[in-house]
mmCIF file of all heavy atoms in Angstrom:
data_model
loop_
_atom_site.group_PDB
_atom_site.id
_atom_site.type_symbol
_atom_site.label_atom_id
_atom_site.label_comp_id
_atom_site.label_asym_id
_atom_site.label_seq_id
_atom_site.Cartn_x
_atom_site.Cartn_y
_atom_site.Cartn_z
ATOM 1 N N MET A 12 -33.917 -22.344 151.560
ATOM 2 C CA MET A 12 -33.896 -21.054 152.236
ATOM 3 C C MET A 12 -34.813 -20.046 151.568
ATOM 4 O O MET A 12 -35.401 -19.195 152.236
ATOM 5 C CB MET A 12 -32.465 -20.517 152.288
ATOM 6 C CG MET A 12 -31.603 -21.284 153.274
ATOM 7 S SD MET A 12 -32.351 -21.293 154.927
ATOM 8 C CE MET A 12 -31.322 -22.487 155.737
ATOM 9 N N ARG A 17 -39.887 -16.909 152.056
ATOM 10 C CA ARG A 17 -41.265 -16.582 151.689
ATOM 11 C C ARG A 17 -42.222 -16.922 152.813
ATOM 12 O O ARG A 17 -43.137 -16.161 153.136
ATOM 13 C CB ARG A 17 -41.665 -17.328 150.415
ATOM 14 C CG ARG A 17 -41.006 -16.779 149.157
ATOM 15 C CD ARG A 17 -41.723 -17.290 147.930
ATOM 16 N NE ARG A 17 -41.578 -18.729 147.767
ATOM 17 C CZ ARG A 17 -40.629 -19.289 147.044
ATOM 18 N NH1 ARG A 17 -39.758 -18.546 146.399
ATOM 19 N NH2 ARG A 17 -40.553 -20.602 146.936
ATOM 20 N N ALA A 32 -38.877 -19.379 170.357
ATOM 21 C CA ALA A 32 -38.762 -18.350 171.394
ATOM 22 C C ALA A 32 -37.676 -18.691 172.405
ATOM 23 O O ALA A 32 -36.879 -17.844 172.782
ATOM 24 C CB ALA A 32 -40.103 -18.172 172.105
ATOM 25 N N PRO A 34 -34.946 -20.946 172.216
ATOM 26 C CA PRO A 34 -33.575 -20.856 171.720
ATOM 27 C C PRO A 34 -33.141 -19.421 171.475
ATOM 28 O O PRO A 34 -32.012 -19.055 171.747
ATOM 29 C CB PRO A 34 -33.634 -21.659 170.409
ATOM 30 C CG PRO A 34 -34.779 -22.589 170.584
ATOM 31 C CD PRO A 34 -35.774 -21.838 171.418
ATOM 32 N N GLU A 71 -28.954 -18.028 158.445
ATOM 33 C CA GLU A 71 -30.164 -17.628 157.716
ATOM 34 C C GLU A 71 -31.288 -17.258 158.682
ATOM 35 O O GLU A 71 -32.015 -16.286 158.480
ATOM 36 C CB GLU A 71 -30.625 -18.758 156.792
ATOM 37 C CG GLU A 71 -31.867 -18.433 155.969
ATOM 38 C CD GLU A 71 -31.675 -17.240 155.056
ATOM 39 O OE1 GLU A 71 -30.520 -16.895 154.727
ATOM 40 O OE2 GLU A 71 -32.695 -16.631 154.672
ATOM 41 N N ILE A 104 -21.530 -22.558 169.568
ATOM 42 C CA ILE A 104 -20.547 -23.182 170.468
ATOM 43 C C ILE A 104 -21.012 -23.073 171.912
ATOM 44 O O ILE A 104 -20.965 -24.050 172.677
ATOM 45 C CB ILE A 104 -19.163 -22.518 170.282
ATOM 46 C CG1 ILE A 104 -18.591 -22.882 168.908
ATOM 47 C CG2 ILE A 104 -18.205 -22.954 171.395
ATOM 48 C CD1 ILE A 104 -17.341 -22.099 168.534
ATOM 49 N N GLU A 163 -34.172 -31.830 170.071
ATOM 50 C CA GLU A 163 -33.507 -30.534 170.014
ATOM 51 C C GLU A 163 -34.214 -29.527 170.919
ATOM 52 O O GLU A 163 -33.574 -28.700 171.567
ATOM 53 C CB GLU A 163 -33.463 -30.014 168.575
ATOM 54 C CG GLU A 163 -32.599 -30.838 167.632
ATOM 55 C CD GLU A 163 -31.131 -30.799 168.029
ATOM 56 O OE1 GLU A 163 -30.730 -29.865 168.750
ATOM 57 O OE2 GLU A 163 -30.386 -31.726 167.638
ATOM 58 N N VAL A 257 -68.984 -1.645 130.083
ATOM 59 C CA VAL A 257 -69.762 -2.163 131.211
ATOM 60 C C VAL A 257 -71.224 -2.263 130.825
ATOM 61 O O VAL A 257 -71.837 -1.291 130.361
ATOM 62 C CB VAL A 257 -69.591 -1.245 132.438
ATOM 63 C CG1 VAL A 257 -70.426 -1.766 133.606
ATOM 64 C CG2 VAL A 257 -68.115 -1.153 132.846
ATOM 65 N N GLU A 295 -94.305 -20.053 183.933
ATOM 66 C CA GLU A 295 -95.725 -19.845 183.607
ATOM 67 C C GLU A 295 -96.162 -18.439 183.998
ATOM 68 O O GLU A 295 -96.871 -17.755 183.228
ATOM 69 C CB GLU A 295 -96.576 -20.883 184.342
ATOM 70 C CG GLU A 295 -98.059 -20.802 183.997
ATOM 71 C CD GLU A 295 -98.880 -21.849 184.726
ATOM 72 O OE1 GLU A 295 -98.271 -22.707 185.411
ATOM 73 O OE2 GLU A 295 -100.116 -21.808 184.606
ATOM 74 N N ASP A 324 -85.187 -5.477 182.636
ATOM 75 C CA ASP A 324 -83.859 -5.019 182.224
ATOM 76 C C ASP A 324 -83.737 -3.560 182.647
ATOM 77 O O ASP A 324 -84.118 -2.640 181.915
ATOM 78 C CB ASP A 324 -83.694 -5.152 180.704
ATOM 79 C CG ASP A 324 -82.323 -4.679 180.225
ATOM 80 O OD1 ASP A 324 -81.505 -4.282 181.080
ATOM 81 O OD2 ASP A 324 -82.083 -4.693 179.007
ATOM 82 N N VAL A 394 -66.493 -1.965 138.104
ATOM 83 C CA VAL A 394 -66.614 -3.079 137.154
ATOM 84 C C VAL A 394 -65.613 -2.915 136.019
ATOM 85 O O VAL A 394 -64.961 -3.884 135.599
ATOM 86 C CB VAL A 394 -68.051 -3.164 136.600
ATOM 87 C CG1 VAL A 394 -68.130 -4.222 135.494
ATOM 88 C CG2 VAL A 394 -69.038 -3.481 137.714
ATOM 89 N N LEU A 445 -40.657 8.697 140.955
ATOM 90 C CA LEU A 445 -40.468 7.268 140.690
ATOM 91 C C LEU A 445 -39.105 6.788 141.185
ATOM 92 O O LEU A 445 -38.987 5.685 141.723
ATOM 93 C CB LEU A 445 -40.610 7.005 139.183
ATOM 94 C CG LEU A 445 -40.498 5.542 138.759
ATOM 95 C CD1 LEU A 445 -41.735 4.760 139.184
ATOM 96 C CD2 LEU A 445 -40.304 5.432 137.243
ATOM 97 N N ASP A 450 -37.394 -0.187 145.015
ATOM 98 C CA ASP A 450 -37.285 -1.224 143.983
ATOM 99 C C ASP A 450 -36.648 -0.669 142.718
ATOM 100 O O ASP A 450 -35.874 -1.362 142.047
ATOM 101 C CB ASP A 450 -38.671 -1.799 143.671
ATOM 102 C CG ASP A 450 -39.246 -2.589 144.830
ATOM 103 O OD1 ASP A 450 -38.454 -3.103 145.638
ATOM 104 O OD2 ASP A 450 -40.480 -2.694 144.935
ATOM 105 N N ALA A 455 -31.932 -0.255 139.211
ATOM 106 C CA ALA A 455 -31.061 0.611 138.414
ATOM 107 C C ALA A 455 -29.591 0.364 138.728
ATOM 108 O O ALA A 455 -28.730 0.467 137.844
ATOM 109 C CB ALA A 455 -31.415 2.072 138.660
ATOM 110 N N HIS A 483 -29.757 4.917 131.145
ATOM 111 C CA HIS A 483 -29.618 5.870 130.037
ATOM 112 C C HIS A 483 -28.229 6.504 130.055
ATOM 113 O O HIS A 483 -27.591 6.645 129.011
ATOM 114 C CB HIS A 483 -30.694 6.957 130.156
ATOM 115 C CG HIS A 483 -30.579 8.044 129.127
ATOM 116 N ND1 HIS A 483 -30.805 7.822 127.796
ATOM 117 C CD2 HIS A 483 -30.247 9.363 129.251
ATOM 118 C CE1 HIS A 483 -30.633 8.951 127.123
ATOM 119 N NE2 HIS A 483 -30.280 9.896 127.996
ATOM 120 N N LEU A 520 -5.725 29.347 180.040
ATOM 121 C CA LEU A 520 -6.536 29.865 181.142
ATOM 122 C C LEU A 520 -6.593 28.867 182.291
ATOM 123 O O LEU A 520 -6.542 29.243 183.462
ATOM 124 C CB LEU A 520 -7.951 30.183 180.649
ATOM 125 C CG LEU A 520 -8.123 31.438 179.786
ATOM 126 C CD1 LEU A 520 -9.553 31.531 179.269
ATOM 127 C CD2 LEU A 520 -7.783 32.688 180.596
ATOM 128 N N GLU A 557 -20.843 17.106 177.611
ATOM 129 C CA GLU A 557 -19.434 16.887 177.912
ATOM 130 C C GLU A 557 -19.052 17.465 179.277
ATOM 131 O O GLU A 557 -18.219 16.887 179.988
ATOM 132 C CB GLU A 557 -18.555 17.517 176.834
ATOM 133 C CG GLU A 557 -18.734 16.928 175.443
ATOM 134 C CD GLU A 557 -19.793 17.657 174.628
ATOM 135 O OE1 GLU A 557 -20.644 18.356 175.233
ATOM 136 O OE2 GLU A 557 -19.773 17.548 173.403
ATOM 137 N N LYS A 567 -13.456 13.782 194.126
ATOM 138 C CA LYS A 567 -14.156 14.577 195.140
ATOM 139 C C LYS A 567 -13.210 15.581 195.785
ATOM 140 O O LYS A 567 -12.091 15.225 196.177
ATOM 141 C CB LYS A 567 -14.731 13.641 196.196
ATOM 142 C CG LYS A 567 -15.573 14.329 197.253
ATOM 143 C CD LYS A 567 -16.140 13.282 198.212
ATOM 144 C CE LYS A 567 -17.003 13.935 199.284
ATOM 145 N NZ LYS A 567 -17.567 12.927 200.217
ATOM 146 N N THR A 569 -11.407 17.871 198.546
ATOM 147 C CA THR A 569 -11.114 17.653 199.965
ATOM 148 C C THR A 569 -10.834 18.987 200.639
ATOM 149 O O THR A 569 -10.495 19.988 199.977
ATOM 150 C CB THR A 569 -9.890 16.739 200.143
ATOM 151 O OG1 THR A 569 -8.748 17.394 199.564
ATOM 152 C CG2 THR A 569 -10.118 15.393 199.462
ATOM 153 N N TYR A 625 -20.030 -17.649 183.457
ATOM 154 C CA TYR A 625 -20.065 -19.111 183.478
ATOM 155 C C TYR A 625 -19.789 -19.679 182.085
ATOM 156 O O TYR A 625 -19.005 -20.623 181.933
ATOM 157 C CB TYR A 625 -21.423 -19.591 183.988
ATOM 158 C CG TYR A 625 -21.562 -21.101 183.999
ATOM 159 C CD1 TYR A 625 -20.818 -21.876 184.886
ATOM 160 C CD2 TYR A 625 -22.419 -21.747 183.109
ATOM 161 C CE1 TYR A 625 -20.934 -23.262 184.895
ATOM 162 C CE2 TYR A 625 -22.540 -23.132 183.109
ATOM 163 C CZ TYR A 625 -21.790 -23.879 184.013
ATOM 164 O OH TYR A 625 -21.900 -25.241 184.008
ATOM 165 N N LEU A 629 -16.742 -22.058 180.936
ATOM 166 C CA LEU A 629 -16.905 -23.319 180.225
ATOM 167 C C LEU A 629 -15.998 -23.384 179.005
ATOM 168 O O LEU A 629 -15.362 -24.406 178.729
ATOM 169 C CB LEU A 629 -18.365 -23.492 179.786
ATOM 170 C CG LEU A 629 -19.390 -23.865 180.853
ATOM 171 C CD1 LEU A 629 -20.790 -23.911 180.244
ATOM 172 C CD2 LEU A 629 -19.063 -25.215 181.505
#
Side-chain angles (χ1 to χ4, degrees):
M12 288 305 169
R17 287 196 294 267
E71 181 60 22
I104 291 170
E163 294 296 339
V257 179
E295 184 179 354
D324 180 2
V394 174
L445 183 72
D450 292 334
H483 176 68
L520 286 174
E557 297 91 340
K567 184 177 180 180
T569 62
Y625 178 68
L629 285 177

